[in-house]
Amino acid sequence: MTEPALNATVRKARVKDAERIQELVNYWAKQDEMLFRPLSEIYDFLRDYWVWEEDGRLLGSAALHVDWKDLAELRSVAVDPDEQGRGIGTGLVQRCLDEARELGVTRVFALTYRPGFFGRFGFAECSKDELPRKIWSECIRCPKFPECDEIAMMVAVEAGAPDEEAAR
């Protein structure tokens, strides 16, 4: 896992973080990189979110949403545009994958426009047909539905404790 700067913390989101999470996610949604998230939805799924906080500033977020006994979605990976390239997104994704292992989830998927980024974690392209119909309840709200151009990707994770190497 990418080590946070000495003054940075990767932690579970708190209620006070919801508006900033929405700001980050919706910034990237305006760039056509992800779905808009209403504040009510951020609160509904707040326990799914991890945040990167540095010097009291929330610089990134990512969420792991469990969909089924063996499947979770990695979503809302959003980093402050002025803080790109510092490993914040990498650290958040790794923490979500560690959490998937801890929970016993064996597969994690993402819908993305940046397959190269997710490929670094072992994600590989898959057919959207492999994903449960449950996720389409969210997709139907997307202005691109049913002509979605996001790339579906999946990675197998070994259930159990987080990888020792990644935890350093």
Side-chain angles (χ1 to χ4, degrees), residues 47-61:
R47 290 181 178 188
D48 290 350
Y49 283 89
W50 287 90
V51 297
W52 181 292
E53 183 180 48
E54 196 171 302
D55 293 327
R57 295 175 42 230
L58 198 152
L59 301 180
S61 70

Side-chain angles (χ1 to χ4, degrees), residues 9-25 39 42-43 46 49-53 56-61:
T9 305
V10 176
R11 62 169 173 78
K12 289 299 273 186
R14 300 178 186 135
V15 171
K16 70 178 180 127
D17 302 324
E19 289 179 9
R20 177 64 174 149
I21 292 169
Q22 183 194 33
E23 181 182 314
L24 289 169
V25 168
L39 190 56
I42 304 262
Y43 282 119
L46 190 66
Y49 283 89
W50 287 90
V51 297
W52 181 292
E53 183 180 48
R57 295 175 42 230
L58 198 152
L59 301 180
S61 70

Side-chain angles (χ1 to χ4, degrees), residues 5-146:
L6 292 176
N7 53 349
T9 305
V10 176
R11 62 169 173 78
K12 289 299 273 186
R14 300 178 186 135
V15 171
K16 70 178 180 127
D17 302 324
E19 289 179 9
R20 177 64 174 149
I21 292 169
Q22 183 194 33
E23 181 182 314
L24 289 169
V25 168
N26 288 349
Y27 170 85
W28 291 107
K30 288 176 191 166
Q31 312 309 311
D32 205 26
E33 294 278 334
M34 61 180 59
L35 283 178
F36 283 92
R37 300 278 181 200
L39 190 56
S40 61
E41 185 177 300
I42 304 262
Y43 282 119
D44 284 345
F45 297 103
L46 190 66
R47 290 181 178 188
D48 290 350
Y49 283 89
W50 287 90
V51 297
W52 181 292
E53 183 180 48
E54 196 171 302
D55 293 327
R57 295 175 42 230
L58 198 152
L59 301 180
S61 70
L64 181 75
H65 181 73
V66 177
D67 285 304
W68 202 245
K69 68 180 180 177
D70 65 340
L71 185 67
E73 179 183 9
L74 179 58
R75 58 166 74 160
S76 298
V77 180
V79 175
D80 185 301
D82 296 330
E83 303 294 335
Q84 298 282 302
R86 295 186 43 224
I88 294 170
T90 296
L92 287 163
V93 168
Q94 188 60 59
R95 186 59 196 104
C96 287
L97 293 175
D98 288 346
E99 183 179 36
R101 287 181 193 91
E102 292 165 5
L103 292 170
V105 172
T106 57
R107 297 180 302 148
V108 177
F109 75 92
L111 295 169
T112 184
Y113 293 109
R114 297 194 180 187
F117 175 76
F118 288 95
R120 293 186 301 178
F121 301 95
F123 282 81
E125 287 189 39
C126 68
S127 168
K128 291 176 186 149
D129 295 335
E130 293 181 50
L131 304 176
R133 295 194 184 275
K134 180 178 177 179
I135 70 154
W136 299 115
S137 64
E138 181 177 44
C139 293
I140 201 161
R141 294 184 292 120
C142 180
K144 295 180 179 187
F145 184 82

